Amino acid sequence: MKDISGNIKKVMFIFLIFFVGVIVYITYFEIFVGPKIVNRQDNQRLWAKRNAILRGTIYDKNMKPIAQSKRVEENKQKREYLYGSLFAHAIGYENEKYGLTGLENKYDKELMALNSVDFSSVFNLTKSKNEKRGYDLVTTLDYNLQKKAFDFLGDKKGAVVALNPKTGEILAMVSKPTFNPNKIEEQWSEITKNKDVPLLNRAVSGMYPPGSIFKTVTAVSALENIDNIMTRNFKDRGKLVFNKSESLSNYNGEVLGNVNFEKAYVHSSNVVFGSLGIELGNDKLKKTAEKFYFNKDIPSDGITIDNSKFPQYKDYEKGNIAQSAIGQSAVLATPIQMALVASTIANNGVMMKPMLVNKVVDHNKKIIKEVKSSEISRVTSEENAEIMKKFMRKVVTSGTGRAANVWNVKICGKTGTADHKDNKNGKSRPHSWFIGFGPYEDPKIAVAVIVEEGGQGGGTAARIASKIIQQAVH
């Protein structure tokens, strides 16, 4: 009897283990696996749900509709992008065959008026006399500013990002080449075969050497780490020699002679900033870059931002360290990253979280969710930010950025001419960069403009940026 009783206990124990295992698996599936399956873009039942609920409208910040849906059949609707390619990269697209991107993906549940998606809501599609409608999104985008940025960039490849430095609101986001989300199906083959990758949102995912606009980060690092930097004098002979085979020259071989820190920045001395990079060392410069959120995930709402890169070098790699201080070598940045650098200086050293949505509302405009602006971190002191503002103002009035100077707005900025190599043909025409903000006294907008292979940054990019700032201020 004892043996029988013992065997029964063993069997019961095994059954108990199996039972607990099943419960654990079901719980795990319900909490972790189930929602992922339900929310997959190729889940046809979820697409049936999307078609059953009329998708919410997306507005610009002034309640101008930019994307909306209309019913074409009982369980079929059509998404219309009212301005074609104008907002394509900012808000993305929604397509049953090719999925969702951008804001359409990030705020999919809200546009479907679902706080959460569960199996019961997906499998039970009940009919109603009243049309089921999703929530609407009120974005931070300004139609007028977006249109100007889009038109100013024209047929050039590149990107424009404009932010409110005090709130982090994204006022404009343009990437070119672009595509028409209304024609995504009929043009898919052409779009995906295009070597210029029009589906890539260059504003948040384009990785470029920043060139001399990165000297803004290096200048902040020098202000923080070199005690006498504001009283130092430098000898700029046009070239900084590291060894027999390595050297660093100013743009077009310019020789600036005796300069102080301010003049070196205003006239974009590679020699002085390369030497400052060596003096600071890789560790200090990297630390400052990371305070500006290089090598880190940038907190954001409504967008995903790829990580900009600042390299790690050994102390003996003088050439690479000097090159990194002027935004070359292995330094890579997205346009929105560099817009945040300008925005941080404009906002007295505080970086704000970039955001693409202001609020979620129902069809009666009742607020369902409000997105509050929030601070990411204090990157540098208010005193250092004030010094950089003055430097950046002089860049525009008497330095390399005079193409951005206008009579009716005091614009501050920094130019960049970024060398890069074409994988097929070797060295190519440099990218043209400009970062800036305005007005100087009370900044309302910060911008970053990159024109791929646009030549000297003080030209094409600076002119585009100044027009955008003027548009925003007046």
Side-chain angles (χ1 to χ4, degrees), residues 11 168 300-301 307 310 323 358 376 432:
V11 171
S300 60
D301 184 89
N307 291 352
F310 189 86
Q323 290 280 355
N358 270 328
I376 293 178
S432 175

Side-chain angles (χ1 to χ4, degrees), residues 20-38:
V20 172
V22 169
I23 294 298
V24 169
Y25 177 75
I26 291 173
T27 303
Y28 173 77
F29 186 89
E30 286 286 337
I31 295 173
F32 298 104
V33 180
K36 290 181 181 178
I37 294 173
V38 171

Side-chain angles (χ1 to χ4, degrees), residues 246-258:
E246 289 184 298
S247 64
L248 177 63
S249 299
N250 289 333
Y251 186 76
N252 279 342
E254 183 180 16
V255 178
L256 294 174
N258 291 317

